[in-house]
């Protein structure tokens, strides 16, 4: 047996009898307890934030759906107006009547497009504002929870 092997065996034999001081054990146990408590607090915060994020996403999705529904309704309205105008133009008996109907349609569409754009802008602004407010509320709640947990 060489010196290194003998020294290692002597060290391990001595280590078998070595005791960990009670103070060190108490500190280790206290550290584990505190780490577990901290983890529990942050885990609760994370779960709460996941719920809040889900609520924000649901609200954003609902807002996007209402904007999509509005665009679809406007498209249907505008398409129906085109068909009605085309039918009226097809029934025109004279060129002046045709031009009058065409002019009325164009004027009506400009007015309609302006109103629809305004409504869509207002709806988009409302949805964006609600989404940002939800995100702001969520962020504030998260920071407060982290501050309490920390």
């Amino acid at each position: 047996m060489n010196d290194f092997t003998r020294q290692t065996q002597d060290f391990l034999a001595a280590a078998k009898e070595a005791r960990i001081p009670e103070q060190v054990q108490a500190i280790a146990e206290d550290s584990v307890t505190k780490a577990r408590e901290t983890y529990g607090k942050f885990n609760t915060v994370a779960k709460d934030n996941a719920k809040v994020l889900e609520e924000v996403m649901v609200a954003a999705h609902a807002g996007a759906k209402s904007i999509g529904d509005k665009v679809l309704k406007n498209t249907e309205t505008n398409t129906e107006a085109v068909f009605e105008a085309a039918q009226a133009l097809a029934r025109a008996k004279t060129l002046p009547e045709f031009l009058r109907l065409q002019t009325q349609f164009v004027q009506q569409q400009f007015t309609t497009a302006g109103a629809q754009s305004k409504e869509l802008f207002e709806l988009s602004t409302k949805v964006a504002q609600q989404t940002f407010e939800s995100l702001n509320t969520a962020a504030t709640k998260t920071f407060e929870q982290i501050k309490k947990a920390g």
Side-chain angles (χ1 to χ4, degrees):
M1 177 179 338
N2 65 27
D3 279 346
F4 178 74
T5 304
R6 191 172 357 94
Q7 287 175 352
T8 303
Q9 287 177 344
D10 290 345
F11 176 76
L12 291 175
K16 285 182 183 179
E17 302 300 321
R19 291 284 199 205
I20 298 173
E22 290 180 19
Q23 292 172 330
V24 173
Q25 287 178 331
I27 290 171
E29 287 181 23
D30 187 51
S31 295
V32 170
T33 300
K34 287 179 180 176
R36 186 177 299 224
E37 288 173 1
T38 301
Y39 167 77
K41 290 176 184 178
F42 281 107
N43 189 35
T44 300
V45 169
K47 287 178 182 178
D48 288 347
N49 289 331
K51 289 176 189 173
V52 170
L53 183 59
E54 182 180 350
E55 291 169 7
V56 168
M57 295 309 243
V58 167
H61 179 265
K65 184 179 180 328
S66 62
I67 290 171
D69 290 347
K70 184 66 175 166
V71 168
L72 184 58
K73 183 179 182 306
N74 288 350
T75 301
E76 290 172 352
T77 299
N78 295 340
T79 302
E80 186 60 35
V82 168
F83 284 129
E84 288 175 13
Q87 190 172 31
L89 291 171
R91 292 182 184 152
K93 304 276 189 229
T94 65
L95 184 57
E97 181 184 4
F98 182 89
L99 293 173
R100 180 182 56 77
L101 290 171
Q102 179 67 26
T103 301
Q104 285 175 345
F105 171 73
V106 170
Q107 289 173 342
Q108 177 188 357
Q109 284 308 106
F110 273 123
T111 302
T112 301
Q116 290 173 344
S117 294
K118 181 181 176 191
E119 289 174 358
L120 195 56
F121 177 77
E122 289 171 353
L123 179 60
S124 298
T125 301
K126 179 181 173 185
V127 166
Q129 184 178 11
Q130 289 172 341
T131 302
F132 287 129
E133 285 174 1
S134 296
L135 285 171
N136 188 33
T137 300
T140 301
K141 181 179 177 182
T142 299
F143 291 131
E144 290 298 320
Q145 287 178 326
I146 289 172
K147 196 160 70 171
K148 287 178 186 177

